[in-house]
Amino acid sequence: MSVVQFRVRVRNVLPDETVFVSGSNRTLGFWKPSRAKSMEKTGNDFWQAKVTFEKDENVYQMEYKFVVIQGRAGVETWLPGGNLKIRPPGIITATSDDWILDEKREHKVNQHKPYEVRNMHNRHDHHHAPEKPDGNLLHMGESDTYGGVPCWYKDSIFYLIYCLGTPGHGGGGFFGDCPDANDQTSGNTDRLLRLRHWYDYLVELGINAVYFTPIFDSGTHGYDTYDYFRIDRRLGDMNDFKTILAELHERNIRVVLDGVFNHTGRGHFAF
């Protein structure tokens, strides 16, 4: 078992409010404030809690945050900032910065929730979708990141779509009839728009992110890119892609593109 001493300074806590520590493991309630550990006020606006964790709970892998809960109303105010982690070695004491709550409680409830709570998607109830992304063509995710990557990926259920076929094996790609090679002369097709037939299926599966292997103009399978600013003519054009992107976003499905930038095809301008 491990014992952790949590300590945080929070000013302007109201008389009917209590500071809790919530986290990503069983003892800290799996991010549910109702199961979080309450803290005691020790003077000078400091709050602390001594928490004992079970043997199977690795305290160095868990994440935690502090949340202020109003007694009667049950209103939650998560303290700003990202999820916190305990850093070994030494005495296990978790401390945080000095937080000052304003009287209007302008730290919005949803804005500072832990990543797992803010982006949680019930995989069995598709009526509770994650926050809908914006309609921009190049959507970079929320400002919060986890290791430099937008934090929403941690709770996403991805569906991989290989549009152009298996490298070196042909096969017609995801749509079944995509030519193995790009002749650079044929007109654009609308194969990307056929993805509409799978929208309901993706939603039914609980998919909330689609990962496209390369769809940029290329010679064969997509990884031998000719032009990173054009959609491969065997799939469609940029307008087709924008249409699919907007329609997937309307269904709360994010889109990730596979970009291979450390090598290109021989049709690239550099050759």
Side-chain angles (χ1 to χ4, degrees), residues 182-188 230 233:
N182 184 348
D183 61 13
Q184 296 295 306
T185 60
S186 299
N188 293 333
R230 291 180 56 190
R233 68 184 65 235

Side-chain angles (χ1 to χ4, degrees), residues 5-14 18-21 39-49 64-68 77-80 84 93-102 107:
Q5 180 78 33
F6 293 92
R7 187 168 183 265
V8 62
R9 190 176 192 183
V10 187
R11 305 188 189 189
N12 295 345
V13 176
L14 300 177
T18 302
V19 180
F20 291 76
V21 56
M39 307 182 73
E40 295 183 359
K41 191 172 183 179
T42 60
N44 293 326
D45 297 313
F46 281 99
W47 295 76
Q48 68 179 27
Y64 68 94
K65 284 196 74 170
F66 300 103
V67 56
V68 179
T77 303
W78 293 89
L79 296 190
L84 303 172
T93 302
T95 60
S96 184
D97 295 330
D98 186 354
W99 298 110
I100 301 178
L101 298 178
D102 55 78
H107 299 313

Side-chain angles (χ1 to χ4, degrees), residues 1-270:
M1 292 188 296
S2 300
V3 178
V4 178
Q5 180 78 33
F6 293 92
R7 187 168 183 265
V8 62
R9 190 176 192 183
V10 187
R11 305 188 189 189
N12 295 345
V13 176
L14 300 177
D16 62 342
E17 292 179 325
T18 302
V19 180
F20 291 76
V21 56
S22 180
S24 60
N25 58 15
R26 181 173 59 255
T27 298
L28 293 184
F30 293 116
W31 297 119
K32 294 183 179 179
S34 60
R35 297 170 58 185
K37 295 294 183 181
S38 63
M39 307 182 73
E40 295 183 359
K41 191 172 183 179
T42 60
N44 293 326
D45 297 313
F46 281 99
W47 295 76
Q48 68 179 27
K50 195 173 187 179
V51 181
T52 301
F53 294 88
E54 301 297 330
K55 291 182 179 180
D56 62 339
E57 296 179 304
N58 188 334
V59 297
Y60 296 122
Q61 292 182 349
M62 75 174 183
E63 298 180 348
Y64 68 94
K65 284 196 74 170
F66 300 103
V67 56
V68 179
I69 302 179
Q70 188 176 16
R72 288 191 296 267
V75 177
E76 307 164 10
T77 303
W78 293 89
L79 296 190
N83 297 357
L84 303 172
K85 297 191 73 171
I86 295 175
R87 307 296 181 186
I91 300 174
I92 304 179
T93 302
T95 60
S96 184
D97 295 330
D98 186 354
W99 298 110
I100 301 178
L101 298 178
D102 55 78
E103 294 181 359
K104 296 181 180 180
R105 292 297 186 268
E106 292 180 351
H107 299 313
K108 303 299 183 183
V109 173
N110 290 326
Q111 181 179 357
H112 300 298
K113 280 189 174 182
Y115 301 147
E116 283 79 356
V117 176
R118 192 186 316 160
N119 298 292
M120 186 60 68
H121 174 54
N122 189 325
R123 301 180 183 185
H124 302 289
D125 184 354
H126 310 311
H127 297 290
H128 295 81
E131 180 181 352
K132 183 164 62 178
D134 59 44
N136 294 336
L137 175 60
L138 299 178
H139 180 71
M140 301 303 294
E142 291 88 355
S143 58
D144 296 307
T145 62
Y146 184 85
V149 180
C151 60
W152 55 260
Y153 90 94
K154 297 180 65 181
D155 298 299
S156 294
I157 306 173
F158 282 86
Y159 192 94
L160 174 65
I161 297 179
Y162 202 128
C163 294
L164 293 173
T166 306
H169 298 283
F174 178 80
F175 302 105
D177 61 352
C178 187
D180 293 344
N182 184 348
D183 61 13
Q184 296 295 306
T185 60
S186 299
N188 293 333
T189 67
D190 60 355
R191 286 187 177 89
L192 274 180
L193 297 180
R194 296 185 198 171
L195 187 61
R196 291 168 166 169
H197 298 301
W198 280 271
Y199 286 166
D200 291 341
Y201 177 66
L202 295 175
V203 173
E204 182 181 354
L205 288 178
I207 301 299
N208 54 16
V210 167
Y211 185 101
F212 285 104
T213 57
I215 61 175
F216 310 112
D217 188 34
S218 71
T220 56
H221 45 62
Y223 290 90
D224 51 347
T225 304
Y226 287 0
D227 189 341
Y228 292 102
F229 296 96
R230 291 180 56 190
I231 302 299
D232 194 292
R233 68 184 65 235
R234 292 169 291 171
L235 300 175
D237 56 25
M238 188 62 74
N239 287 331
D240 294 336
F241 174 66
K242 289 181 178 180
T243 298
I244 291 297
L245 182 68
E247 292 176 352
L248 287 172
H249 281 177
E250 284 296 319
R251 290 160 175 79
N252 302 312
I253 298 176
R254 299 180 186 275
V255 174
V256 176
L257 298 183
D258 187 351
V260 182
F261 304 115
N262 66 339
H263 64 272
T264 65
R266 292 187 180 276
H268 190 267
F269 75 90

